[in-house]
Amino acid sequence: LAEKRRLRDFQEANIKFLSGWNQWKRTSHKSWRKVLDEAKELCSYLELWRHDIHSIEGKFGTGIQSYFSFLRLLNFVIFILMFSFVTLPTVIPKYGIFNSSFAEAPASSIEPHCTVYSPSGNKGLVYFYTYLKDLLTGTGFLEVTSLFYGYYTIDAAWISMFRYNLPLAYLLTTFAYLGLSLLWIIKRSVEGFKQNLVHAEDQFQSYCNKVFAGWDFCITDLSAARLKHRSLQYELKTDLEEERLKQKIADRTMKDKLRIYSLRLFINIIVLAVLSGCFYSIYRATVFSQENSSTNGNNINFEANLLVQYLPSIVITLANFIAPQIFSLLIRLEDYSPAFEIRLTLLRCVFVRLANIGVLMFSLWSQISSCATDKCSACGYNYELYPCWETQVGQEMYKLVIFDFIMILAATLFIDFPRKLLVTHCSCKLIQWYGLQEFGISDNVLEIIYGQTLCWIGTFYSPLLPAIATIKYFIVFYIKKISLLHTRKPSARPIRASSSNFFFLVVLLIGLLLAFVPVGVSIAYIPSSKACGPFRNFNTSWAVVPDTILGFPTDLQKVLYGIASEAFAVPFFMVVCIVMFYFIALAGAHKRVVEQLREQL
């Protein structure tokens, strides 16, 4: 502090020798920095769930706090994008607000039978449970609202003298929310990767860190402090167990190696069989549901129709629940280290959840693109079963999001609370041994990633789905908070906040990359519906881009076509490769410096 005061006095003494301009610049810089700091502090008070997350961190440490921080995703930003650039410009002209109007381009070059689309919307007197079914399935009155793709049928909107190209805006907004999500995840992942590198030390430094810097000073609760003691003990035991396993692996004979590798091969075959069973079940359930569901409910009763429509969601949820339980049992037989056991089990669970969504989309595409007649081939898709296939895909995503929320709520109300009551008020030794359910951070975060992937895929087919996802996660936050504080206990196996955040963001990135595939195929490959939506006058959704470019001035067209040509792409790729190799070399140099500094430490 004495040195800082000396430097400050020295700087203030030198200010009088500066010119007036430099003195003003220095004063302005200090004032501006002070304003920014105060604004940043004010924004931190407006941060969503700030107080709740800090209280959770104080009672249970940073590992569980990282899960609740993870809930603050960008669904609200995606909703604002879709609402501002797609929904609002469609609604305003339809109601003639701000002296606006709209045009629906005539479908002159399309076969008449391809343009027939009669949404089932409720007409006349209907039973009250019909509205409940519509809310759960997205059919009936919801099908004709702005929630789904089929509502956006206008080709252009005029607001005063401004012409708004809705098909182009719809496509660009889709690219914008996917690109924004990618940038956000990469930015957060880089921060986590930096922290993860710090913790990737050798075992000697790992022991030093646990002994001298292992305590979490955010903890203020006595029971949480005892839990942290047990966590540190567990981490030290895990490190010792890993050292023991390394020694055991080094001492293995050829016979032992052959036995363990044969066992792992057999277990991986069982894992593949379980995955294949899940995928086939989802495929059959989706095909059966699409072929037998009734949107008007006249030919079969309400309960059976609802069950048939929700069959893919039920099968996917069962697969997401049963497969991880089997993997947890099998991993114990594979003789891996505890840390690797957790990572491998998580990766298998992630693969099940995300691959299930991929199988669902593949099942829908196989039904949409199956054409057996010339009339069907003229449309390019199965127009009889899917007159507006984008809306029906959106309904499947909507049902998955709603069913996922129902299952989270049901698990808390009908499993966690009764179990808490039994443990608290029943002295039976078996129940006391069974105890409270652990709050598994990994499992809960995987639920979020699964729901977020559904939102990314579904937003193209259901533009207001991010609003539903935002409300869902707002409620889920408080459900999980109540569950943690009152009905569950923290996991006995600790997870470091920095490493877990990085791992979860990497998995979220995988989910986003998975979302690119179905959305990209729908935009570029599958013919767009000719009976609904903004792209009904284009062969595919992507066709709106070259059509828009044709309306540009000739010089601008040449520039754009030049950028899209090989003459530009090849040099650009080479420059990118050179820049990438430069950064790889720079990273290698930094790594060597870090190793030298670590040796000195």
Side-chain angles (χ1 to χ4, degrees):
L1 284 173
E3 182 66 14
K4 282 186 176 181
R5 290 192 190 102
R6 191 188 66 77
L7 283 170
R8 187 183 63 192
D9 295 339
F10 178 73
Q11 287 173 350
E12 287 178 356
N14 285 337
I15 286 175
K16 58 187 177 184
F17 297 110
L18 296 173
S19 63
W21 168 251
N22 286 332
Q23 285 185 29
W24 180 82
K25 266 204 318 184
R26 184 183 177 84
T27 308
S28 301
H29 177 70
K30 286 177 71 176
S31 302
W32 179 244
R33 193 167 64 179
K34 188 178 179 182
V35 169
L36 285 177
D37 289 341
E38 288 176 355
K40 198 173 181 180
E41 189 177 352
L42 180 64
C43 289
S44 70
Y45 285 104
L46 302 174
E47 196 175 339
L48 184 63
W49 304 328
R50 178 177 178 269
H51 176 72
D52 294 312
I53 287 175
H54 282 182
S55 67
I56 290 165
E57 183 179 23
K59 288 185 178 179
F60 300 101
T62 55
I64 287 177
Q65 177 265 341
S66 69
Y67 162 74
F68 284 95
S69 298
F70 201 71
L71 272 171
R72 296 181 296 197
L73 296 173
L74 67 167
N75 286 324
F76 183 69
V77 177
I78 296 174
F79 161 67
I80 293 295
L81 272 175
M82 296 301 291
F83 183 78
S84 303
F85 295 102
V86 176
T87 306
L88 209 58
T90 304
V91 172
I92 287 174
K94 284 194 174 183
Y95 290 96
I97 304 169
F98 302 129
N99 194 26
S100 56
S101 60
F102 66 93
E104 294 186 2
S108 54
S109 60
I110 303 169
E111 294 290 335
H113 61 268
C114 299
T115 61
V116 178
Y117 174 50
S118 303
S120 59
N122 301 322
K123 299 178 179 66
L125 293 173
V126 293
Y127 291 109
F128 74 95
Y129 58 71
T130 306
Y131 290 107
L132 177 62
K133 180 179 78 73
D134 293 344
L135 280 172
L136 290 173
T137 61
T139 54
F141 76 93
L142 272 182
E143 189 173 347
V144 294
T145 64
S146 56
L147 178 60
F148 293 110
Y149 172 95
Y151 175 83
Y152 302 89
T153 54
I154 71 173
D155 184 64
W158 278 271
I159 301 171
S160 296
M161 298 299 293
F162 176 71
R163 183 182 184 276
Y164 192 81
N165 188 340
L166 184 72
L168 183 65
Y170 199 106
L171 190 66
L172 292 180
T173 308
T174 301
F175 293 154
Y177 84 74
L178 289 172
L180 183 71
S181 303
L182 181 64
L183 290 173
W184 179 82
I185 294 171
I186 289 173
K187 180 180 178 295
R188 294 286 298 271
S189 298
V190 167
E191 292 171 4
F193 183 65
K194 288 175 184 175
Q195 293 177 355
N196 214 27
L197 278 177
V198 174
H199 296 296
E201 67 277 85
D202 58 35
Q203 286 301 317
F204 176 73
Q205 287 178 314
S206 175
Y207 289 127
C208 290
N209 286 351
K210 285 180 179 67
V211 173
F212 295 112
W215 188 251
D216 188 347
F217 285 93
C218 293
I219 294 174
T220 56
D221 186 69
L222 183 61
S223 61
R226 288 172 182 155
L227 178 76
K228 185 63 180 177
H229 287 149
R230 289 198 296 271
S231 296
L232 285 170
Q233 280 185 332
Y234 170 77
E235 285 193 22
L236 289 167
K237 285 178 182 176
T238 302
D239 287 341
L240 292 168
E241 179 68 16
E242 287 187 2
E243 290 294 321
R244 188 189 65 78
L245 278 170
K246 284 178 184 177
Q247 188 63 42
K248 183 182 173 183
I249 290 166
D251 294 341
R252 275 177 187 163
T253 62
M254 186 58 70
K255 184 180 176 181
D256 292 333
K257 288 180 181 178
L258 188 63
R259 181 187 60 80
I260 196 71
Y261 291 147
S262 301
L263 181 62
R264 287 175 184 174
L265 179 64
F266 178 68
I267 289 172
N268 279 297
I269 290 169
I270 295 173
V271 168
L272 288 173
V274 170
L275 291 173
S276 302
C278 291
F279 298 159
Y280 182 73
S281 302
I282 292 165
Y283 176 77
R284 294 307 310 165
T286 306
V287 172
F288 180 83
S289 174
Q290 295 298 306
E291 290 178 348
N292 294 279
S293 62
S294 169
T295 53
N296 53 28
N298 292 330
N299 56 345
I300 52 177
N301 61 44
F302 165 72
E303 294 86 358
N305 186 28
L306 188 64
L307 181 64
V308 169
Q309 291 199 42
Y310 260 91
L311 192 59
S313 303
I314 292 168
V315 172
I316 286 173
T317 303
L318 284 173
N320 289 343
F321 175 75
I322 294 169
Q325 304 300 323
I326 296 171
F327 297 157
S328 298
L329 292 172
L330 292 174
I331 196 72
R332 296 174 188 173
L333 305 173
E334 295 184 79
D335 200 17
Y336 288 118
S337 67
F340 188 76
E341 271 187 23
I342 293 170
R343 283 197 292 268
L344 184 59
T345 307
L346 282 175
L347 285 172
R348 285 172 177 171
C349 296
V350 166
F351 183 76
V352 168
R353 284 181 177 271
L354 298 184
N356 285 346
I357 301 172
V359 172
L360 173 69
M361 297 304 294
F362 172 77
S363 308
L364 289 170
W365 285 338
S366 65
Q367 291 289 102
I368 292 165
S369 57
S370 62
C371 282
T373 62
D374 293 337
K375 290 178 74 175
C376 176
S377 300
C379 302
Y381 58 94
N382 191 343
Y383 75 96
E384 294 174 338
L385 196 58
Y386 301 95
C388 182
W389 65 263
E390 291 93 343
T391 290
Q392 282 160 294
V393 172
Q395 286 170 344
E396 288 298 322
M397 295 295 109
Y398 172 83
K399 283 185 281 188
L400 283 169
V401 170
I402 296 296
F403 194 71
D404 185 49
F405 173 70
I406 290 170
M407 292 305 297
I408 291 170
L409 186 62
T412 305
L413 290 176
F414 303 117
I415 297 175
D416 292 346
F417 271 107
R419 186 169 172 175
K420 167 72 173 179
L421 290 173
L422 283 171
V423 171
T424 306
H425 300 290
C426 183
S427 58
C428 175
K429 287 185 178 179
L430 180 64
I431 292 173
Q432 292 300 320
W433 173 80
Y434 197 54
L436 294 176
Q437 174 78 17
E438 287 187 350
F439 190 89
I441 298 171
S442 304
D443 298 336
N444 282 281
V445 170
L446 290 181
E447 281 181 5
I448 296 176
I449 292 166
Y450 168 73
Q452 188 60 43
T453 305
L454 290 176
C455 181
W456 278 323
I457 295 172
T459 300
F460 179 75
Y461 312 102
S462 176
L464 296 186
L465 193 62
I468 295 169
T470 302
I471 296 166
K472 171 191 164 184
Y473 283 120
F474 188 82
I475 298 169
V476 164
F477 172 82
Y478 290 102
I479 291 172
K480 293 293 183 182
K481 181 190 169 188
I482 292 166
S483 175
L484 174 63
L485 294 175
H486 301 290
T487 67
R488 291 198 180 196
K489 61 181 180 182
S491 175
R493 286 191 165 189
I495 295 181
R496 196 195 299 272
S498 58
S499 58
S500 61
N501 272 341
F502 174 66
F503 176 77
F504 296 143
L505 285 165
V506 168
V507 175
L508 192 63
L509 182 61
I510 294 168
L512 179 59
L513 295 176
L514 173 72
F516 282 161
V517 177
V519 174
V521 170
S522 299
I523 289 171
Y525 178 71
I526 301 179
S528 53
S529 294
K530 305 299 182 286
C532 68
F535 305 106
R536 58 184 184 155
N537 295 304
F538 301 98
N539 187 38
T540 61
S541 302
W542 177 255
V544 70
V545 174
D547 183 74
T548 304
I549 290 173
L550 288 174
F552 290 166
T554 308
D555 293 336
L556 183 57
Q557 286 185 40
K558 288 178 180 177
V559 171
L560 292 172
Y561 285 130
I563 291 171
S565 66
E566 294 86 348
F568 177 83
V570 173
F572 179 75
F573 179 72
M574 290 175 67
V575 170
V576 168
C577 286
I578 291 167
V579 172
M580 186 178 68
F581 284 130
Y582 165 74
F583 279 110
I584 289 170
L586 195 65
H590 286 166
K591 188 177 179 181
R592 286 192 294 274
V593 172
V594 167
E595 287 171 355
Q596 290 170 3
L597 290 172
R598 187 170 282 168
E599 285 174 9
Q600 290 174 18
L601 282 172

